[in-house]
Amino acid sequence: AADEPDQWVKSVCRFCGTGCGVMVGIKNGKCVTVKGDPNNHNRGFLCLKGALMPPIVYSKERVTRPYIRRNGKLEPASWDEAMGLVEKKFKEALAEGGPTAIGYYGSGQALTEETYLASKIFKAGLGSNNVEGNPRLCMASAVGGYVTTFGKDEPCGSYSDIDAATCIMIIGSNMSECHPVLFKRVASRKQADPNVKIIVIDPRRTNTARIADEHVSFKPGTDLAILNSMAWVIINEELDSPRFHGKYVNFMTNDKKKVDFDAYMKFLEDYTPEKVEKISGVSAAQIRKIAKMFGEASATTSFWCMGLNQRIRGVWANNLVSNLHLLTGHIGKPGATPFSLTGQPNACGGVRDTGGLCHLLPAGRLIKKEAHRNALEKQWGIPKGTINPKPGLHTIALWNAFSEAKVKAMFVLCTNPAHSLPNVNIYTEGMKRKDNFMVLSEPFMDAESVKYCDVLLPAAFWCEKRGTYGCSERRYSLLKKSTEPLGECKPDFEILMDFAKRMGVDSRVIPYENIDDVWNEWRMVSAATPYNFSGMTRERMEKASGILWPCPTEDHPGTKIRYVRGEDPNIPKDYPKKYNFYGKPDGRAVIWFRPYKGAAEEPNEEYPMVLTTGRVIDHWHTGTMTMKVPELRRSFPAAYVEVNIEDAKAKGIQNGDNVLLETKRDKMVFRAKVSDVCRPGLIFVPWYDANLMINKLTLNAIDKGSKQPEFKICAVRISKA
Ligand code: MGD
Ligand code: SF4
């Protein structure tokens, strides 16, 4: 047919952390269609977002040349003029304030190689550890949870656990809308075997909850108490596995004291189902029921996402899910694993693995550890002592410092902070200042951050460049370049290299001809660590539909289960025990005592309800991409507020009425959607709409450990507008 592509090029979906494989259909050098890759884990399925890419690539809002802001207006400029100004401003900031006066703010949607490169340029080339990115808003608590429990970041299992699980617990995740193709796999598992039990723990009765045997609706923020109570029931019903936890687990108090199992039982006495019913609003009978489901199953897998991560107790909530797996031994067997779902397509691969945060270095190394810095300096061939031993500023601290013009020059790439940061008015006010400077690499003119940047660089988009994404299950896949960049657009790799050269970065720090060189260096850098990407050569990646790390040799198939002898290549074949949590010095994972504590801003007399925010199925984050697709825009044209029927009745609110939302920070009017999705006392607003930015109302309180903001809970007042 006339519209048939003349070529199909293997790639990966641009959106969620499911990481579906796609085939990009090319005709006359243009991307004309997209279909699912039948050989990838998604088995050819895609959701609408993943399938409807062409109108995004060719949207009329594409930025196709550089711009400089002059007298308040963005005016076209040449690449040389734009990059010349970036160089001048960054050099001035360095001269005035030293390396802490500059910063990089990147993304879990940038390619792995791009984040590795940016982090290296700033940390090794310019002496600044102010390297952050939107994964701090997204997965930081999961990182904190894994590192404190297992000693190493990233999930232990893989998507194939879904097919073997007999109980699946989904907590703090609206998987059906946020990871639709993965949710399809869960629903298919349930359909094929109705004896498989599904538990959904969520204060909203989302579409995810509609396949649940038990939907647990609780007072927002009290899930920590529920998880502790499940542990209490599991022990009291003798559903725990002393053989497992006796051999492979340490029990640890909140202040890091090693104690015994009896002390844990004592700690849990505050969380009997009857006590937790009073805290959470969940009946003791339901807590007992789900705990038994979890413990009695032959293999339980738990999934969670932002509902646990975007909390001031995010790390603790993550620990508490892993506790249940370590208590019961539901770990390291097919179908049995704790599993955090990643929000973005490359938050794992790009940022966490390659160390694109202010306290990290590649492959799980830490800036504050001298041995880690020195090992990396040696591998990078740069003088010992080059890397600054002091971690940089985390995301909220970095943007606070930029707003106060203490950080003077910021490089923003592949993220839209003027829309996505919490309590965003503070930060957009800061971006307006004349005494700081922001350069933005962005493909779309209507992204909110474009309004505030001083230089705008036209970024090549998705199919216009080459590199890797690493999705939730540690699977890395290659995105091949399939079309030429529009106009004067350049891949972020080229933009970053140009920046580094202009800044006079030592050529030993950036010895790359092309993006494949960066990948090969990353393989080498990972090789001495449990990450080990050595076997993932570019030649292999060209053909394979993704490989799961660790993958130490070219004939290694990739690793589905970590920490188990015979599965994880980091454990010697003659290791005397079956499990080895090698991230911990004694090979034992940790069951943490994490008490329930309330949210940063509990409802009160003035603001008596709870506001929560999140995604809808058809939109991606700040909407810069999905709002360009007519079908997706039509299905969710504008943000709204979801109100429970009882609350609506009490306030005289009808479906479709305008409703005023007020928090301590700002107020805004939304259309009401009255339904039974939210529990009474809770309202939900999706955050994709640039015309109705809910982040003007949200709170920037952060988790003490992970520094991740509490997007999921703040106090709000609603009234008919
Ligand atoms: P995106 O819309 O994904 O949101 O926040 P952002 O990262 O700010 O922004 C990506 C930007 O990169 C877009 O403007 C897009 O057009 C641009 N882009 C696309 N491709 C490329 C490319 O190849 N190169 C370059 N240079 N640019 C590109 C996400 C953040 O938001 C995250 S990760 C989470 S988890 C938080 N979630 C959240 C929430 O749940 N509720 C609320 N209220 N706020 C939230 N904010 C957080
Ligand atoms: Fe893309 Fe996620 Fe949809 Fe898969 S489920 S097609 S990765 S948005």
Side-chain angles (χ1 to χ4, degrees), residues 13 15-20 45-47 49-50 178-182:
C13 174
F15 299 117
C16 84
T18 301
C20 293
F45 289 106
L46 297 178
C47 73
K49 296 192 291 293
C178 302
H179 299 84
V181 171
L182 203 59

Side-chain angles (χ1 to χ4, degrees), residues 578-600:
K578 186 171 173 205
Y579 290 81
N580 180 1
F581 295 102
Y582 46 75
K584 295 286 183 187
D586 59 0
R588 285 171 175 248
V590 177
I591 285 186
W592 285 99
F593 298 15
R594 299 301 198 195
Y596 159 67
K597 288 247 169 79

Side-chain angles (χ1 to χ4, degrees), residues 140 178 197 227 300 306 328 347 387 449 482 490 706:
C178 302
K197 298 281 183 261
L227 290 164
T300 299
M306 297 311 148
T328 52
I387 301 170
S449 303
S482 48
K490 286 186 187 176
S706 70

Side-chain angles (χ1 to χ4, degrees), residues 62-66 77-84 111 114 411 413-414 440-443 456-462 464-466 481 483-499 501-502 515:
R62 278 293 299 270
V63 181
T64 54
R65 59 175 311 167
S78 69
W79 268 106
D80 196 46
E81 283 169 325
M83 290 306 291
L111 297 165
E114 291 165 354
F411 205 124
L413 185 141
C414 204
L440 174 70
S441 170
E442 165 65 51
L456 174 62
L457 304 174
F461 182 66
W462 184 58
E464 298 168 348
K465 57 185 187 176
R466 173 180 171 88
K481 178 179 166 185
T483 64
E484 285 305 317
L486 294 190
E488 295 178 35
C489 294
K490 286 186 187 176
D492 289 314
F493 165 76
E494 284 178 33
I495 294 174
L496 289 165
M497 285 296 284
D498 184 15
F499 170 71
K501 285 177 189 161
R502 285 171 185 269
I515 199 152

Side-chain angles (χ1 to χ4, degrees), residues 143-175:
V143 178
Y146 283 127
V147 171
T148 46
T149 296
F150 300 108
K152 290 280 167 216
D153 186 21
E154 300 284 7
C156 352
S158 75
Y159 295 157
S160 55
D161 285 311
I162 295 170
D163 312 330
T166 54
C167 174
I168 298 176
M169 178 171 94
I170 305 172
I171 176 165
S173 154
N174 182 7
M175 204 176 177

Side-chain angles (χ1 to χ4, degrees), residues 19 26 42 97 112 122 126 152 244 252 314 362 394 398 444 466 480 519 569 582 641 659 679 686 698:
I26 304 294
N42 51 309
T112 306
F122 275 74
L126 300 172
K152 290 280 167 216
F244 184 86
M252 203 82 89
H394 62 79
L398 185 64
F444 301 103
R466 173 180 171 88
K480 293 186 196 171
W519 175 256
Y582 46 75
V641 54
V659 170
R679 60 181 277 126
T698 53

Side-chain angles (χ1 to χ4, degrees), residues 8 47 102 110 120 159 177 216 224 236 244 272 284 309 340 364 423 425 434 442 460 480 502 513 539 589 688 693:
W8 288 101
C47 73
I102 61 170
K120 191 177 178 196
Y159 295 157
E177 298 205 55
V216 182
L224 278 83
N236 280 277
F244 184 86
T272 62
N309 294 344
S340 60
N423 195 359
N425 289 334
K434 300 270 183 304
E442 165 65 51
K480 293 186 196 171
R502 285 171 185 269
E513 294 279 315
E539 293 71 32
Y688 62 85
M693 291 198 321

